[in-house]
Amino acid sequence: MIHTTTDASPTTSPAWQDGHKGTLETGRDLLADVSLPAAVIHEAPLAHNLAWMQDFARRHRAQLAPHGKTTMTPALFRRQLEAGAWGITLATLPQCRAAFAEGATRLLLANQLVGRANMAIAAELLRAGGELYVTVDGRDNVAQLSEFFAEAGLTLPVLIEVGVDGGRCGCRRDEEVIALAREIAARPGLTLAGLEGYEGVVHGDDPAARIRAYAERLVADVRRLEQEGLLGVAAPIVTASGSAWYDLIAEAFRDGGLEGRFTPVLRPGCYVVHDHGIYREAQRGVLSRRPDLHEGLRPALEVYAQVQSLPEPGLAIVALGKRDIGVDQPPEPLVRYREGGDVETPLSVDGWRVTRQMDQHTFIALPRGTDEGRADDVRVGDIVAFGASHPCLTFDKWRRIHLVDERLQVIDTWETRF
Amino acid sequence: MIHTTTDASPTTSPAWQDGHKGTLETGRDLLADVSLPAAVIHEAPLAHNLAWMQDFARRHRAQLAPHGKTTMTPALFRRQLEAGAWGITLATLPQCRAAFAEGATRLLLANQLVGRANMAIAAELLRAGGELYVTVDGRDNVAQLSEFFAEAGLTLPVLIEVGVDGGRCGCRRDEEVIALAREIAARPGLTLAGLEGYEGVVHGDDPAARIRAYAERLVADVRRLEQEGLLGVAAPIVTASGSAWYDLIAEAFRDGGLEGRFTPVLRPGCYVVHDHGIYREAQRGVLSRRPDLHEGLRPALEVYAQVQSLPEPGLAIVALGKRDIGVDQPPEPLVRYREGGDVETPLSVDGWRVTRQMDQHTFIALPRGTDEGRADDVRVGDIVAFGASHPCLTFDKWRRIHLVDERLQVIDTWETRF
């Protein structure tokens, strides 16, 4: 079973003993009772995104195995599985272990499994009943895995990773894929369960065309493996897709007629809370290619922080640092409230400009006149909601994340498992 | 009491239940038994650094309150306090709470205390017997703190932050410092315990001269507060210094004749594990200014990771990402070992060049010919030690950090409390 923090739980331990960033345990109003900075997920857009992407996969006759590395939040894994996800994708064995311990039993490691200590964790998961798939892309690693799992008396399902020149991992040539499949078939301890790819490393002119071609290559390769009898399982897996080009992958899988004989699996991760930056841009691309998809995803993750100093005209220092929020791009001030104020009366952040970030501080250039005594002037203690990009690098800053409703009341507090 | 992981503890819980990045619990050899990537502290340079900085402070007749935000590792706080540290500096109230829960009772918040939820944590710490100092730099915040702590029946010791034009927080003018001190004296719930500054935001031509002048300003200001009878405690605190210019601050404090009447406090944080980047450069600056200090600090923090793929000639993909190591600068490959190999037979990383990092991967351009079958060729599974900069942004990636001896045997596994 997946364990989540119950509503009562946060109030039972003395606030100063838990050793975490976190809430003031007696309160539930984000604008009054929660120690800030704090990471916050809004329930309404979260629920929308969960349903939206599951529906997207269903309409393309693909399974969904959301990339769990994004959030490493078991409560979100539970929500994803309850919404219909086929499994959870992860990037490391300790991540797989954490997800499995919280109830996710079908795990897709979209990465090579390297190192005997990590193999030992994989063996534990298999022995405990986990369904685990890992990727391979070379003979050396296949030999290492075969030796370890054969010796352990286990069979590890592997997916061959299909890569591109100048990309990341993965076999560059189709002939390498076939040769590696033969190598896997010839060795004990392994079974070939399908193909894996990641289109996020496909670059060049006309990326959409290149990504379509890459997805079609995956489809063609898995058909060839099938024809040559090199696949060791029923309904072998064909999987790709990050959070930017999943529509192209889904279309190619759908149009490749995989249904029935193969298991097409999509693996977006960021969709669950979406984004205020690079993936918002990417989503605009998806919607421009696919006007039938309507609206799309909604950003659900924000970090709330307070103005801590107004040391000179035009400058606000906010208690929000690189320790608190992803910094692939400067965080985006979204809205401001008075501490203890009402969600119905937001204050402006028009013209606010993040000029610098340090470990624990954000510098904001204020528009002229906004700190000079008007009713909506900026005050020390004002609470500012920030959007970030991308979400992976905000989640990993936090051990606890607050789920809030539309009135910014805390519904639940979720633990992360990085 | 400070609780650290005992030698036995890591072996007692099932590996797949703890939900953390971490060790294979049955093994202790970093090159054979530990799930990588992993963050590692080397004991010998750590012990050297602890003694070195404590001796530095002693020789300058200053107290040491290491900045704990760097590591948020209670076992390191204990080592720092055992080495003679006066207290621990922190950046947020949840950090103070975590340090206090682990036995650090004198806490210096080198930051403004903003927000009633954070004030409530401070009140808990004071009621539990903690000695806590926080900074203030404006009338609004002083009013907020006074109202809260007077109502709570507590007295909060505050330090006025002295800032610079274009800097971060802090009063820009000496007259503001004096006016704020009068404000504090006039209000209930607060007592003025001294002055705080941070020279890391002093910039311009001849930074050493500017920083000396800034430190002298702190000394002059605290003397003036003393003369005007505005200080509320015996032996008031004068504190500054990060990890780059601490020598100049220490000299100015020593030469300012503070001894006996004031408590000069230095607050470097990164020194404890030092650095492979910006603070190594800074340390060269310290040693060029102060040849009497000999040798200086030694880098003690590394992240070990494994080659996971050799997908095309000249390219190695290492299982090490932005999730695992600070990326203020690209991580620096230091040395390589065969998995299961011996620390006595390191392999070369000469000419290795980090070209790109993703969340879970590092791309390395290999020198020509190093992946073509020589005895020391690069193989999948090879273990590479990486140095990073700066350490704050590596520590916060980990919930556990391994302490190792010179043979890379794990001595202890420490938990972080971010």
Side-chain angles (χ1 to χ4, degrees):
Chain A
M1 278 302 298
I2 290 180
H3 304 286
T4 58
T5 305
T6 66
D7 191 72
S9 167
T11 65
T12 54
S13 63
W16 51 270
Q17 284 189 350
D18 67 15
H20 291 132
K21 299 178 180 182
T23 56
L24 174 70
E25 313 296 344
T26 52
R28 304 302 252 167
D29 180 348
L30 191 64
L31 300 183
D33 306 316
V34 175
S35 168
L36 301 181
V40 166
I41 294 174
H42 295 270
E43 171 59 31
L46 170 68
H48 168 86
N49 295 342
L50 286 162
W52 192 96
M53 188 59 83
Q54 192 62 46
D55 185 61
F56 174 89
R58 185 187 55 73
R59 287 164 61 189
H60 291 77
R61 299 193 287 281
Q63 300 289 353
L64 186 63
H67 211 316
K69 81 171 170 71
T70 301
T71 74
M72 282 310 294
T73 303
L76 282 175
F77 298 167
R78 180 174 57 84
R79 293 283 294 265
Q80 291 170 317
L81 292 168
E82 286 173 357
W86 170 87
I88 301 292
T89 299
L90 297 147
T92 71
L93 262 295
Q95 288 177 0
C96 289
R97 180 172 63 181
F100 183 81
E102 303 280 352
T105 55
R106 186 185 279 133
L107 306 166
L108 200 168
L109 181 76
N111 228 341
Q112 283 66 37
L113 167 53
V114 177
R116 292 178 63 89
N118 290 320
M119 293 178 201
I121 298 171
E124 284 177 11
L125 296 176
L126 292 175
R127 289 200 182 100
E131 184 178 337
L132 173 68
Y133 303 90
V134 314
T135 73
V136 292
D137 68 351
R139 295 174 58 122
D140 286 0
N141 189 219
V142 162
Q144 293 162 354
L145 292 169
S146 171
E147 184 189 342
F148 185 96
F149 286 92
E151 194 175 293
L154 295 165
T155 299
L156 178 72
V158 299
L159 310 176
I160 295 176
E161 180 162 357
V162 178
V164 295
D165 286 330
R168 198 166 67 186
C169 305
C171 297
R172 294 334 194 209
R173 305 274 164 268
D174 296 336
E175 290 62 37
E176 293 173 53
V177 172
I178 303 300
L180 197 60
R182 295 200 177 111
E183 184 82 14
I184 293 163
R187 287 184 176 272
L190 304 178
T191 186
L192 183 57
L195 289 186
E196 187 266 352
Y198 175 52
E199 76 287 353
V201 294
V202 175
H203 289 294
D205 297 337
D206 196 353
R210 287 174 188 266
I211 286 166
R212 275 193 199 96
Y214 175 69
E216 288 161 6
R217 183 179 154 210
L218 283 168
V219 171
D221 282 352
V222 83
R223 289 192 173 286
R224 185 164 161 205
L225 290 175
E226 185 195 33
Q227 284 158 13
E228 302 207 9
L230 290 166
L231 291 162
V233 302
I237 292 165
V238 191
T239 176
S241 98
S243 297
W245 302 97
Y246 57 86
D247 58 315
L248 302 178
I249 301 295
E251 290 166 21
F253 284 2
R254 179 196 62 198
D255 298 344
L258 300 174
E259 204 177 10
R261 290 153 61 201
F262 297 92
T263 306
V265 178
L266 306 177
R267 311 191 311 263
C270 294
Y271 81 92
V272 71
V273 295
H274 200 44
D275 192 39
H276 291 90
I278 54 171
Y279 289 110
R280 182 169 54 186
E281 285 307 307
Q283 179 74 359
R284 289 187 186 127
V286 172
L287 296 180
S288 73
R289 291 188 293 270
R290 291 288 303 273
D292 63 302
L293 293 176
H294 311 299
E295 195 203 342
L297 302 164
R298 301 178 192 166
L301 176 67
E302 297 171 356
V303 180
Y304 283 66
Q306 288 181 281
V307 175
Q308 76 175 81
S309 180
L310 293 163
E312 53 189 74
L315 174 65
I317 307 295
V318 176
L320 174 83
K322 296 182 187 179
R323 283 287 182 79
D324 305 309
I325 195 164
V327 292
D328 271 9
Q329 66 176 39
E332 179 185 346
L334 301 171
V335 62
R336 176 167 56 100
Y337 302 99
R338 282 279 184 268
E339 183 178 9
D342 195 290
V343 69
E344 310 273 314
T345 53
L347 300 174
S348 169
V349 289
D350 287 352
W352 286 39
R353 194 162 49 83
V354 171
T355 58
R356 190 179 176 197
Q357 278 205 293
M358 301 177 77
D359 282 3
Q360 313 275 172
H361 301 86
T362 294
F363 292 59
I364 292 183
L366 298 171
R368 190 176 298 274
T370 56
D371 51 359
E372 291 176 2
R374 302 187 312 194
D376 64 347
D377 64 353
V378 182
R379 293 187 200 161
V380 168
D382 276 1
I383 294 171
V384 183
F386 289 88
S389 183
H390 56 94
C392 299
L393 299 178
T394 294
F395 271 103
D396 67 9
K397 306 292 185 289
W398 297 95
R399 297 203 180 183
R400 291 175 170 194
I401 295 180
H402 301 298
L403 182 71
V404 300
D405 67 15
E406 285 163 8
R407 301 193 57 78
L408 298 183
Q409 302 301 299
V410 177
I411 304 167
D412 205 347
T413 298
W414 288 339
E415 304 217 350
T416 64
R417 287 284 184 269
F418 288 98
Chain B
M1 278 301 300
I2 289 179
H3 305 285
T4 58
T5 306
T6 65
D7 191 69
S9 168
T11 65
T12 54
S13 64
W16 51 270
Q17 285 191 350
D18 65 17
H20 290 131
K21 297 180 182 182
T23 56
L24 173 72
E25 312 296 345
T26 52
R28 303 304 252 166
D29 180 347
L30 191 65
L31 300 184
D33 306 316
V34 176
S35 168
L36 302 181
V40 166
I41 295 174
H42 294 270
E43 170 60 30
L46 171 67
H48 169 86
N49 294 343
L50 286 162
W52 192 97
M53 189 58 85
Q54 193 62 45
D55 185 61
F56 174 88
R58 185 187 55 74
R59 287 164 62 188
H60 291 78
R61 300 192 287 280
Q63 300 289 352
L64 186 63
H67 211 316
K69 82 170 168 70
T70 301
T71 74
M72 282 312 291
T73 304
L76 282 175
F77 298 168
R78 179 175 56 87
R79 292 283 294 265
Q80 291 171 316
L81 293 168
E82 285 172 355
W86 171 85
I88 301 292
T89 298
L90 296 146
T92 72
L93 262 297
Q95 289 177 0
C96 289
R97 181 173 61 181
F100 184 81
E102 302 279 352
T105 55
R106 185 185 280 135
L107 306 165
L108 200 167
L109 182 77
N111 227 343
Q112 282 66 39
L113 167 53
V114 178
R116 291 177 64 88
N118 290 320
M119 293 179 201
I121 298 172
E124 284 178 9
L125 296 177
L126 293 174
R127 288 198 183 102
E131 185 178 336
L132 173 68
Y133 303 90
V134 314
T135 73
V136 292
D137 69 351
R139 294 174 58 123
D140 286 0
N141 188 220
V142 162
Q144 293 162 352
L145 293 170
S146 171
E147 184 187 343
F148 184 96
F149 286 91
E151 195 174 291
L154 295 166
T155 300
L156 178 72
V158 299
L159 311 175
I160 295 176
E161 180 161 357
V162 178
V164 296
D165 286 331
R168 198 167 67 187
C169 305
C171 298
R172 295 333 195 207
R173 306 274 164 269
D174 297 336
E175 290 61 39
E176 293 174 53
V177 173
I178 302 301
L180 197 60
R182 294 200 176 108
E183 185 81 15
I184 292 163
R187 286 184 176 272
L190 305 177
T191 185
L192 183 57
L195 288 187
E196 187 267 353
Y198 174 53
E199 77 287 353
V201 294
V202 175
H203 289 296
D205 298 336
D206 196 353
R210 287 173 189 265
I211 286 167
R212 275 193 199 96
Y214 174 68
E216 287 162 7
R217 183 180 154 209
L218 282 169
V219 171
D221 282 352
V222 84
R223 290 190 173 287
R224 185 166 161 202
L225 291 175
E226 185 194 34
Q227 283 158 15
E228 302 206 10
L230 289 167
L231 291 161
V233 301
I237 292 164
V238 191
T239 177
S241 96
S243 297
W245 303 96
Y246 57 87
D247 57 314
L248 302 177
I249 301 296
E251 290 166 22
F253 284 2
R254 178 196 61 198
D255 298 344
L258 300 173
E259 205 178 11
R261 290 153 60 199
F262 298 92
T263 305
V265 178
L266 306 178
R267 310 190 313 262
C270 294
Y271 81 92
V272 70
V273 296
H274 200 42
D275 191 37
H276 291 90
I278 54 171
Y279 289 111
R280 182 170 55 186
E281 286 306 306
Q283 178 74 358
R284 288 187 185 125
V286 172
L287 296 181
S288 72
R289 291 188 294 271
R290 290 288 302 274
D292 63 304
L293 294 177
H294 311 299
E295 196 203 341
L297 302 165
R298 302 178 192 167
L301 176 68
E302 297 171 357
V303 181
Y304 283 65
Q306 288 182 279
V307 175
Q308 77 175 80
S309 180
L310 294 163
E312 52 187 77
L315 174 64
I317 307 295
V318 175
L320 174 83
K322 296 181 185 180
R323 283 285 180 84
D324 306 307
I325 195 163
V327 293
D328 271 9
Q329 66 176 39
E332 180 185 345
L334 301 171
V335 63
R336 175 168 56 100
Y337 303 99
R338 282 280 185 267
E339 184 179 8
D342 195 289
V343 68
E344 309 273 314
T345 53
L347 300 173
S348 170
V349 289
D350 287 352
W352 286 39
R353 195 163 48 84
V354 171
T355 58
R356 188 176 177 200
Q357 279 205 291
M358 299 178 78
D359 282 5
Q360 312 276 170
H361 303 85
T362 293
F363 293 58
I364 293 185
L366 299 172
R368 189 177 297 274
T370 57
D371 51 359
E372 293 176 3
R374 302 187 315 194
D376 64 347
D377 64 353
V378 182
R379 294 188 198 160
V380 168
D382 277 0
I383 295 171
V384 184
F386 288 87
S389 185
H390 57 91
C392 300
L393 298 178
T394 293
F395 271 103
D396 65 10
K397 307 292 184 288
W398 298 94
R399 298 204 180 184
R400 292 176 169 192
I401 295 180
H402 300 298
L403 182 70
V404 300
D405 66 16
E406 286 163 7
R407 301 192 57 79
L408 299 182
Q409 303 301 300
V410 177
I411 304 167
D412 206 347
T413 298
W414 289 339
E415 304 217 351
T416 64
R417 287 283 183 269
F418 288 98

